[in-house]
Amino acid sequence: MKKSVFLFFLILISIGLHGQIKTVSNETYVTCFYSVSQIPSQEKWDQLVAYLGKTEGVEKIKSVYKPEQGRGQLILLIKASSGNRENIKEFDLAQIKSIIIQMGLQPEEPEIKDGKHI
């Protein structure tokens, strides 16, 4: 009987300790609404969306393209910072603007909202 009580308390203590040992992560997200103009074709827009979807830090992407206006909007869920306390890595939004310009498109001023809005 004493052994079973001791074993029961040992299990409870180990479960309690396991619950307290967690990896502390400082992941924060922002949603970026980025309007783009001077889009010559659906193909060019699709290339941009595909390229941004592979960019490190971009967790999710949605896009709206209006071919008659040559305009579109990107809605990007971005992991703004990640890592533990000693090794925080932050995302630079200028990277998105740079990619849009490299593809020959015209970026407009982005709207940034904290949190997940996708």
Side-chain angles (χ1 to χ4, degrees), residues 48-59 91 95-96 99:
L48 173 65
V49 172
Y51 190 81
L52 289 174
K54 296 177 189 174
T55 303
E56 186 178 344
V58 176
E59 296 292 310
F91 186 83
Q95 181 180 355
I96 301 296
I99 292 169

Side-chain angles (χ1 to χ4, degrees), residues 2-110:
K2 288 182 183 181
K3 288 182 183 181
S4 62
V5 171
F6 176 74
L7 183 60
F8 177 72
F9 282 115
L10 184 62
I11 291 172
L12 283 177
I13 291 171
S14 66
I15 290 172
L17 287 176
H18 180 25
Q20 291 178 0
I21 300 173
K22 292 182 181 177
T23 304
V24 177
S25 178
N26 293 326
E27 293 182 350
T28 57
Y29 292 89
V30 295
T31 302
C32 178
F33 299 86
Y34 225 125
S35 294
V36 180
S37 59
Q38 298 179 2
I39 306 167
S41 67
Q42 178 74 49
E43 181 181 341
K44 193 71 163 178
W45 180 252
D46 292 342
Q47 288 174 352
L48 173 65
V49 172
Y51 190 81
L52 289 174
K54 296 177 189 174
T55 303
E56 186 178 344
V58 176
E59 296 292 310
K60 192 173 183 181
I61 185 168
K62 288 186 179 182
S63 68
V64 177
Y65 174 57
K66 297 182 179 180
E68 64 280 355
Q69 297 175 2
R71 299 178 53 80
Q73 184 179 41
L74 301 165
I75 305 169
L76 306 159
L77 177 62
I78 297 171
K79 189 183 290 187
S81 65
S82 63
N84 56 27
R85 291 182 203 154
E86 297 87 30
N87 188 20
I88 294 177
K89 183 177 179 182
E90 293 190 9
F91 186 83
D92 183 10
L93 285 174
Q95 181 180 355
I96 301 296
K97 183 176 183 177
S98 176
I99 292 169
I100 294 169
I101 292 170
Q102 286 174 6
M103 299 208 59
L105 307 175
Q106 181 65 42
E108 296 179 8
E109 198 63 34

